[in-house]
Amino acid sequence: MIKQVLIGIVCGAAVLTAGILIGHFGITKSSAPSWVQDVAKDVDESLIEKFLSEVDNIQIQENLRELTKVPHMATTAGDEQTVQLMLKRWQDPETGLDQAWREEYMVYLSFPDPKKPNKVSVVSPSDEVLYTAREKEKTYPSDQDDPEVVQPYAAYSPAGHPKGKLVYANQGKPNDYQLLNNTVDLRGTIAITRYGGAGRGAKAINAAPYGVIGVLVYTDPLDINDGLMSDINETYPHSWYMPPSGVERGSFNGQFGDMLTPYLAAKEETYRIPVEDITGIPPIPIQPIGFEDAYRLICELGGKAAPTQWQGAFNCTYNFGGPGFRNPSAFNNSDVKLDIFNYEEKKNSSNVMGVIKGTVEPDRYVIYGNHRDSWVHGAIDPSSGTSVMLELTRVLGKMVKQGKWRPRRSIIFGSWGAEEFGLIGSAEYTEQYFTKLSERSVAYINVDIAVFANATLRASGMPSLQNIIFKAAKQVDAPGLDSASVYDNWIKYSNRTNQANELIPNVGYLSGAGSDYAAFVHYLGITSMDISYTYDRSKTNARIYPAYHTAYDTFDYASKFIDPGFVSHQAIARTAGNVLIRLADSLIVPLNCSDYAETLEDYLNTAVTLYQHQLQERNISMEPLKRAVASFRSAATHLDQVIHSSDLANETPLTVRRINDQLMLLDRAFLDPLAFPDKYAYRHVIWASSSAGKPTFPGLADAFANAESQSSAWDKVHYHLSVLSQAIEGAAHTLGDVI
């Protein structure tokens, strides 16, 4: 009996084992549910190769030609034409996206009065007009004759008619006015300043406490033209340099987003603060002028010679001003008068949004954005970026419509409105969808000015994106070079040595608010990057491309002097699109925490060198910050090991999702809404803007600089050190095991 039982058990076990083996090997991938394959699928390298091959430089060229036919300043008829163009392309049945629509916001903007143009003049004691600055830039190609070319002006400058003696205040920085005030009584004067050194509006904000009643701003040829000044043979239309009458327009407000609806989306019914409560805008009238007019004014100034570092390209000595003009002078004893007729208005501005829906993780978003509005024709800023985005969506949209591809995660495209007035469209979008974007966004890619010039790649972003940018750049051919990748070319122009002693391209940081990444980085804490092609900085001192924000930023300018053949535009489209596909399709989100740890360690080493001794003297310890950075490094190394040692294609989907969420939410862990109470919408403690100019943690650097000049502020240094330490420690915990 026992023998029969044992035989039965053995036979049963054998049958069970055989059944398991048959079941295991009998279930092939082809017979499994389709979602099993989809969930485990990684990025398809052959699809990336196909994408790269289909990006067409001629299509990008024609996109730019279409986008720049007319001026398209925000909320104008030309802007509406670009809205309709984006909708038409993104709703195309053969190459469009899954969905496309417009998002409307009622925003507070500033305009010059076309019936009463702003004027700058030199007037005698009897109010006789001796000289009048040019009201509009000189026309070269016929497209600049368009009546919609807006007069140069300072957006958000108040209207007014100040009149006073002229003084020269260099770049309008606080220390510039302080030095000038030591020499000249500034009360009742008009200051002329040059672009650079301080924000546009800050040139007037810094001036007002000294009694200055009006400000002029111009672009010195030394800063933009390598000293060249003649339009007979040196500047546009003969080269890329700014001609003498060129004027850089711009927004002169100091924060991003609609100013009447802070932290709220600017919908029609939204609460608005009183206009008088707006901060960060010029308190006194300010007006930009061309350097041909600045030359006439500065070279007539009296008083002492300004310091050597204040001197520019004009063939005269830049004097402080008497105040006023020298004696003898054609302008002796005369005043400068500003007649500013700007007005403010709430107007409807549109974002155009488009979506390609994801398959496996449709609730995870990779966002790609570029603003659409310009000051005039805006061929480079921003239409180079828009023309690239349209080509990128054409290629991807065609793949989707033909059933050849659909991303793992959803891709959101944003064509932002009213960026030039203060990053308004993108900021309002983040405010309207704050919760959803905070919880679901993987990364944001910004391509504003896609091509400044045609020498090399330039990229900035969170350190975790460095490797994916490198990988994409290695797969794209450098325009105009045989057998060299964009990466190979980039490393020649801008490089650094990492902690492993390897030479790699230098990736910058998004520490300010220069473009639409600002709200995504500083307000939402979304991993972000900004990418462009730029010029060889060893060959020019230009602080930006010379036609920036002028009427000369046209298709003619772009095609002749910025990127003939549009091959650099093509390289940016291929590189940015490669990054986009990898972020949207990779099984594991391709973000590298160890690169983030390296940046934190570099920042820490600088902070210890600069600050530790003085902090120790005040019994403020840096040990918590050191421990936090070490903790982050340990957690990042551990997570990297988990990712690299696991067979994630065969892991449960929830394991993959957990790791991806850790990577996706890393930058959110660095947010502290109380860290920067004086900085609107800045919450990311690692990447906030800084005035200290030190390559370290920005809030700590600013707090330390303030404490050095104000002994009562050392408590704020200690406070920010604690904020920083706990934020980094908290971020480290998010990278560790769940419990």
Side-chain angles (χ1 to χ4, degrees):
M1 183 69 178
I2 294 173
K3 183 177 179 181
Q4 290 176 328
V5 171
L6 290 173
I7 292 171
I9 291 171
V10 171
C11 291
V15 170
L16 178 61
T17 301
I20 291 172
L21 292 172
I22 291 169
H24 176 75
F25 291 105
I27 298 175
T28 64
K29 285 191 175 181
S30 61
S31 64
S34 61
W35 63 264
V36 173
Q37 296 181 57
D38 291 340
V39 165
K41 190 176 180 182
D42 207 347
V43 66
D44 184 348
E45 294 292 340
S46 65
L47 181 131
I48 289 179
E49 290 177 10
K50 179 175 175 58
F51 166 80
L52 297 177
S53 69
E54 292 195 6
V55 171
D56 188 346
N57 59 309
I58 302 303
Q59 288 278 359
I60 297 173
Q61 172 185 291
E62 294 312 305
N63 290 342
L64 190 68
R65 194 190 306 274
E66 182 72 19
L67 287 160
T68 57
K69 282 183 176 178
V70 297
H72 49 283
M73 190 168 67
T75 74
T76 64
D79 184 35
E80 178 60 23
Q81 287 186 34
T82 63
V83 169
Q84 295 303 323
L85 174 63
M86 301 302 294
L87 288 171
K88 179 182 178 182
R89 296 288 186 89
W90 286 356
Q91 292 172 346
D92 186 281
E94 295 182 356
T95 59
L97 309 177
D98 290 331
Q99 285 179 274
W101 66 97
R102 62 195 298 164
E103 290 271 11
E104 308 283 1
Y105 301 99
M106 186 64 70
V107 300
Y108 184 70
L109 304 182
S110 167
F111 301 99
D113 189 336
K115 296 179 180 177
K116 292 185 289 185
N118 295 341
K119 293 183 182 296
V120 175
S121 51
V122 178
V123 296
S124 70
S126 62
D127 273 347
E128 177 189 0
V129 176
L130 304 179
Y131 180 81
T132 301
R134 186 188 290 269
E135 291 178 14
K136 285 201 171 188
E137 291 143 302
K138 183 177 176 181
T139 295
Y140 297 103
S142 59
D143 53 10
Q144 292 166 303
D145 286 327
D146 193 306
E148 292 302 310
V149 172
V150 70
Q151 179 197 10
Y153 76 111
Y156 301 107
S157 164
H161 307 277
K163 183 174 72 170
K165 295 289 186 286
L166 189 68
V167 293
Y168 171 56
N170 192 30
Q171 295 177 322
K173 303 186 298 291
N175 60 346
D176 290 335
Y177 285 112
Q178 185 176 13
L179 176 61
L180 182 59
N181 192 57
N182 292 337
T183 307
V184 179
D185 183 354
L186 292 179
R187 290 173 296 179
T189 61
I190 305 291
I192 184 168
T193 63
R194 58 206 260 194
Y195 273 117
R200 295 186 188 100
K203 297 175 189 299
I205 293 171
N206 297 337
Y210 292 97
V212 176
I213 58 174
V215 175
L216 297 173
V217 60
Y218 78 101
T219 303
D220 198 279
L222 185 66
D223 303 323
I224 202 78
N225 277 8
D226 297 314
L228 300 178
M229 292 189 286
S230 171
D231 64 350
I232 296 174
N233 57 5
E234 293 179 331
T235 66
Y236 185 78
H238 309 286
S239 75
W240 83 321
Y241 290 118
M242 177 191 283
S245 68
V247 183
E248 179 183 319
R249 298 152 180 79
S251 180
F252 283 64
N253 62 327
Q255 65 188 42
F256 54 87
D258 177 62
M259 290 186 288
L260 292 181
T261 58
Y263 299 112
L264 295 170
K267 294 299 183 177
E268 195 159 355
E269 302 83 5
T270 301
Y271 167 76
R272 285 169 169 78
I273 65 172
V275 170
E276 55 268 24
D277 289 349
I278 291 174
T279 59
I281 60 174
I284 55 178
I286 182 168
Q287 174 69 17
I289 59 174
F291 69 73
E292 67 174 0
D293 291 313
Y295 177 86
R296 284 297 312 273
L297 298 176
I298 287 174
C299 288
E300 297 285 352
L301 279 174
K304 295 181 180 178
T308 301
Q309 60 268 30
W310 287 30
Q311 301 297 315
F314 301 153
N315 60 351
C316 65
T317 299
Y318 289 46
N319 295 326
F320 285 132
F325 300 107
R326 58 185 167 79
N327 185 14
S329 163
F331 299 154
N332 182 38
N333 204 30
S334 297
D335 291 329
V336 169
K337 185 181 181 187
L338 278 61
D339 291 298
I340 308 302
F341 298 96
N342 297 348
Y343 67 96
E344 292 73 45
E345 183 180 4
K346 292 193 291 291
K347 296 193 71 174
N348 195 71
S349 177
S350 300
N351 291 342
V352 181
M353 309 302 301
V355 169
I356 297 176
K357 295 177 183 176
T359 53
V360 178
E361 301 179 85
D363 62 330
R364 291 294 180 259
Y365 311 145
V366 180
I367 309 169
Y368 183 109
N370 156 249
H371 75 96
R372 193 186 59 259
D373 66 301
S374 64
W375 285 112
V376 192
H377 292 87
I380 303 305
D381 182 13
S383 299
S384 63
T386 308
S387 63
V388 162
M389 181 161 64
L390 283 172
E391 175 60 3
L392 194 152
T393 56
R394 181 191 71 84
V395 176
L396 296 182
K398 184 179 178 181
M399 290 179 179
V400 170
K401 296 294 186 184
Q402 293 178 347
K404 296 179 179 178
W405 171 75
R406 184 166 288 279
R408 178 186 187 90
R409 304 176 185 93
S410 294
I411 301 174
I412 299 174
F413 294 97
S415 176
W416 314 121
E419 186 268 0
E420 295 292 6
F421 287 86
L423 318 181
I424 291 177
S426 55
E428 300 314 299
Y429 175 74
T430 60
E431 289 169 347
Q432 181 174 2
Y433 299 104
F434 174 87
T435 304
K436 184 164 69 170
L437 294 175
S438 295
E439 293 177 351
R440 300 179 179 181
S441 298
V442 173
Y444 173 66
I445 301 170
N446 194 68
V447 184
D448 179 349
I449 300 174
V451 179
F452 289 85
N454 57 5
T456 181
L457 187 73
R458 182 179 78 173
S460 300
M462 271 66 160
S464 52
L465 280 164
Q466 175 180 281
N467 271 355
I468 188 177
I469 298 172
F470 290 170
K471 190 166 189 175
K474 288 175 180 177
Q475 290 185 297
V476 178
D477 293 335
L481 299 175
D482 294 329
S483 303
S485 68
V486 164
Y487 180 92
D488 297 330
N489 186 53
W490 181 13
I491 205 170
K492 294 177 183 176
Y493 285 91
S494 177
N495 56 64
R496 69 178 182 89
T497 303
N498 64 11
Q499 290 179 352
N501 207 33
E502 301 165 328
L503 194 67
I504 61 173
N506 188 49
V507 177
Y509 301 135
L510 299 177
S511 54
S515 188
D516 288 300
Y517 54 75
F520 293 93
V521 172
H522 304 304
Y523 186 47
L524 294 186
I526 293 171
T527 303
S528 301
M529 60 176 278
D530 183 82
I531 191 170
S532 61
Y533 233 72
T534 190
Y535 43 89
D536 181 351
R537 292 186 175 272
S538 70
K539 294 182 178 178
T540 176
N541 291 321
R543 63 181 179 85
I544 198 167
Y545 73 97
Y548 175 68
H549 287 190
T550 72
Y552 306 113
D553 188 357
T554 61
F555 180 84
D556 177 75
Y557 180 82
S559 59
K560 287 182 180 177
F561 303 115
I562 298 296
D563 187 23
F566 289 82
V567 289
S568 296
H569 284 75
Q570 183 182 43
I572 284 295
R574 286 171 168 168
T575 307
N578 191 334
V579 172
L580 175 64
I581 294 170
R582 292 185 183 282
L583 286 168
D585 262 4
S586 296
L587 177 64
I588 291 295
V589 174
L591 301 177
N592 189 301
C593 299
S594 292
D595 286 337
Y596 221 129
E598 181 174 319
T599 296
L600 296 180
E601 288 164 349
D602 289 343
Y603 269 20
L604 173 65
N605 292 337
T606 302
V608 168
T609 301
L610 293 174
Y611 310 135
Q612 181 168 264
H613 179 70
Q614 289 192 57
L615 292 177
Q616 284 176 336
E617 290 179 343
R618 291 164 176 82
N619 295 318
I620 301 173
S621 174
M622 294 190 76
E623 292 307 310
L625 181 59
K626 295 177 183 177
R627 289 195 298 269
V629 172
S631 177
F632 188 94
R633 167 60 80 177
S634 177
T637 301
H638 173 71
L639 184 58
D640 279 351
Q641 289 172 346
V642 169
I643 293 171
H644 294 138
S645 63
S646 302
D647 182 9
L648 292 170
N650 290 310
E651 281 283 1
T652 67
L654 290 179
T655 299
V656 174
R657 177 85 161 190
R658 173 178 61 79
I659 293 171
N660 280 339
D661 281 355
Q662 288 176 289
L663 295 167
M664 177 183 79
L665 296 173
L666 171 59
D667 272 293
R668 253 73 105 214
F670 291 112
L671 296 181
D672 185 330
L674 302 179
F676 308 104
D678 299 327
K679 292 183 178 181
Y680 174 78
Y682 280 85
R683 307 193 304 157
H684 200 301
V685 301
I686 309 299
W687 306 123
S689 63
S690 171
S691 57
K694 305 295 183 183
T696 187
F697 305 107
L700 180 61
D702 284 351
F704 189 91
N706 291 336
E708 283 188 303
S709 61
Q710 186 180 349
S711 59
S712 62
W714 286 103
D715 282 349
K716 291 186 177 179
V717 178
H718 193 177
Y719 170 75
H720 198 84
L721 196 60
S722 297
V723 166
L724 189 59
S725 302
Q726 294 188 23
I728 296 172
E729 190 74 55
H733 286 305
T734 70
L735 298 181
D737 293 333
V738 177
I739 296 176

